[in-house]
Amino acid sequence: MAEQQTNVAVLGGGSFGTALASIAADNGARVRQWMRDETLVKQINQEHRNGRYLPNYAMNPAVEASADIQTVLADAELVLIAIPSKAFRSVVQAAKAWLRPEQILVSTTKGIEQEGFLLMSQVLEQETGFSHIGVIAGPNLASEIADKQLTATVIASADSLTRTRVQQVLGCRYFRVYASDDRHGVELGGALKNIYAIAAGMAAALGMGENTRSMLMTRALAEMSRFAVAQGANPMTFLGLAGVGDLIVTCSSNLSRNYRVGYAMGEGRTLEEAVDALGQVAEGVNTVKLVCAKASEMDVYMPLAEGLNHVLFDGVPAQEMARTLMMGEQSSDVEFILPREAVQQAHRDQAPHNQTSKNQVSKDQVSKNNGGGNA
Ligand SMILES: NC(=O)C1=CN([C@@H]2O[C@H](COP(=O)(O)OP(=O)(O)OC[C@H]3O[C@@H](n4cnc5c(N)ncnc54)[C@H](OP(=O)(O)O)[C@@H]3O)[C@@H](O)[C@H]2O)C=CC1
Ligand SMILES: O=C(CO)COP(=O)(O)O
């Protein structure tokens, strides 16, 4: 529980920003929430309801909404930024004149900026140069938080003041906040799982069974952690809420917008139709493109992401991805115990006449096969 009244600013009037603003207010903080939509500002201040993003949620009436970013940031000790990745930098730039180095800046955004492949905390660092910077990620469907379903998240920062203040300000009887100092790993976990949530939604619409779903999620975790480790993250982070925790919820729930985009495509809709019908952000659509380009540049094997990328952007039918799911290399289960290279070497050593074994399909063959493969 908050020990003293803290001034909190939330930038973003979407579903997650609204849920976090209300949690902080429930917890005794003085909360101001910024959004650009004046009609929504009026509705939140008069009806204590965000009719566009969380229409059935009775917000804490103490949350004060405003379209004036200067007013919202005045006196804020903690600033939570819940703006989709495509607009994140421009909003930080608009806020910059009123930010101060002693403030704690926390991104809640699970996405990647195309230019430079930057995560949002890196954008915050670039734009401000401040030292109290953190990220929040975890299995946090906003609409379940709005129902006050028991929920846990992670605050990740190298800065202990950031971790502690966020735990104090947001931790309450229905929202638990665990700490991590692997900011990069936690932030990558939140961004990467959106890719696999789309694939899981597609698999569900295609009628795949529970074994398939479990395989997909577990191999997704292998792929995510492989990529994150190549980017300098700690693989153990993926055992936590921001890794396996967030992956489970978004690959299982129709409340996840990324899952819903995949489901709609599995039912035969185009990407454009699926995204238009959603009317909110599905970060995974952009993330899969950026991650595949980065993985190819770094030579990281990511067949699930590559397969999805082909379905989303190259017109490959979803059914084709499912078929090729079974044709990739049969490699190591947990490669941090048995490295992939060791399995591949054993196959090479034991193949008759040093031919590629029958069950072992090379990376080249997998990518030729319409981009699908087993992670
Ligand atoms: N919703 C969830 O369950 C969770 C979401 N997240 C992450 O939080 C981030 C924000 O998501 P969420 O709140 O759900 O998003 P929503 O799509 O619900 O809302 C987006 C908000 O950002 C605003 N916005 C978009 N572009 C701009 C812009 N150029 N300038 C100013 N404001 C802008 C929108 O304003 P307007 O209405 O005027 O367009 C809206 O207030 C995402 O990265 C998401 O991954 C993380 C955990 C859970
Ligand atoms: O990140 C989320 C839950 O943890 C929200 O997922 P979606 O963006 O797919 O709705």
Side-chain angles (χ1 to χ4, degrees):
M1 287 285 181
E3 286 150 10
Q4 61 195 48
Q5 191 166 51
T6 308
N7 290 330
V8 175
V10 177
L11 305 186
S15 52
F16 200 45
T18 299
L20 289 178
S22 207
I23 290 176
D26 280 358
N27 225 10
R30 168 163 194 196
V31 184
R32 294 192 177 107
Q33 186 182 6
W34 173 82
M35 62 210 68
R36 60 184 174 178
D37 180 345
E38 301 268 8
T39 313
L40 209 49
V41 166
K42 218 177 270 173
Q43 185 179 46
I44 290 177
N45 289 335
Q46 289 173 0
E47 301 170 28
H48 315 299
R49 203 169 63 83
N50 181 335
R52 164 136 192 235
Y53 290 100
L54 282 175
N56 302 319
Y57 180 33
M59 291 175 67
N60 186 309
V63 174
E64 298 166 43
S66 170
D68 176 0
I69 205 160
Q70 179 179 5
T71 307
V72 166
L73 290 169
D75 304 328
E77 181 194 334
L78 169 64
V79 182
L80 301 170
I81 304 148
I83 296 285
S85 56
K86 279 194 168 152
F88 192 95
R89 187 185 287 274
S90 65
V91 169
V92 174
Q93 283 171 341
K96 216 154 104 173
W98 297 283
L99 294 175
R100 302 179 310 279
E102 64 276 15
Q103 284 173 320
I104 296 170
L105 308 181
V106 175
S107 162
T108 77
T109 299
K110 295 172 174 174
I112 296 169
E113 187 180 71
Q114 178 167 354
E115 189 67 33
F117 198 79
L118 292 178
L119 294 163
M120 298 306 111
S121 67
Q122 295 172 312
V123 173
L124 282 173
E125 263 171 359
Q126 267 192 356
E127 291 292 337
T128 68
F130 295 175
S131 51
H132 305 303
I133 287 179
V135 302
I136 283 177
N140 298 160
L141 295 167
S143 47
E144 287 203 355
I145 297 172
D147 282 344
K148 296 199 168 45
Q149 297 281 356
L150 305 183
T151 297
T153 198
V154 180
I155 170 66
S157 176
D159 171 46
S160 65
L161 176 78
T162 299
R163 297 194 300 265
T164 311
R165 291 304 283 141
V166 171
Q167 287 184 301
Q168 289 165 343
V169 170
L170 293 178
C172 66
R173 65 181 173 77
Y174 62 90
F175 197 69
R176 290 178 72 74
V177 185
Y178 291 86
S180 167
D181 62 1
D182 182 16
R183 192 184 86 195
H184 204 57
V186 164
E187 202 167 13
L188 270 174
L192 292 172
K193 60 83 194 171
N194 288 330
I195 297 173
Y196 308 100
I198 299 176
M202 227 172 247
L206 291 168
M208 291 181 200
E210 296 301 312
N211 286 349
T212 315
R213 192 162 67 95
S214 173
M215 171 173 69
L216 178 66
M217 284 164 61
T218 313
R219 294 314 301 168
L221 194 63
E223 195 169 293
M224 283 164 73
S225 50
R226 183 184 308 138
F227 181 82
V229 166
Q231 289 264 312
N234 185 336
M236 301 302 269
T237 292
F238 289 80
L239 297 178
L241 288 160
V244 70
D246 206 1
L247 187 69
I248 290 172
V249 80
T250 39
C251 288
S252 316
S253 174
N254 190 39
L255 294 175
S256 156
R257 296 157 305 182
N258 288 287
Y259 180 97
R260 287 212 296 274
V261 165
Y263 198 96
M265 291 186 73
E267 286 182 318
R269 253 153 284 175
T270 64
L271 175 61
E272 206 180 7
E273 287 165 349
V275 168
D276 283 352
L278 191 67
Q280 293 186 28
V281 66
E283 292 271 10
V285 173
N286 191 41
T287 302
V288 69
K289 217 185 317 175
L290 302 180
V291 165
C292 285
K294 188 50 118 182
S296 149
E297 187 188 310
M298 294 169 58
D299 200 23
V300 179
Y301 182 54
M302 299 192 75
L304 292 176
E306 275 176 33
L308 184 70
N309 199 32
H310 286 292
V311 174
L312 260 47
F313 303 109
D314 300 335
V316 171
Q319 293 84 341
E320 187 63 17
M321 186 183 103
R323 195 176 66 75
T324 53
L325 184 74
M326 299 308 292
M327 294 185 64
E329 67 175 32
Q330 295 185 118
S331 180
S332 169
D333 177 22
V334 179
E335 63 203 57
F336 303 109
I337 301 172
L338 175 63
R340 274 178 68 228
E341 293 69 27
V343 179
Q344 288 165 335
Q345 187 58 48
H347 273 280
R348 281 195 292 273
D349 292 346
Q350 289 160 36
H353 317 299
N354 264 356
Q355 302 266 312
T356 306
S357 96
K358 211 165 125 197
N359 288 329
Q360 175 93 1
V361 180
S362 74
K363 190 176 168 183
D364 283 354
Q365 284 169 290
V366 172
S367 56
K368 263 187 222 149
N369 196 358
N370 279 337
N374 189 6

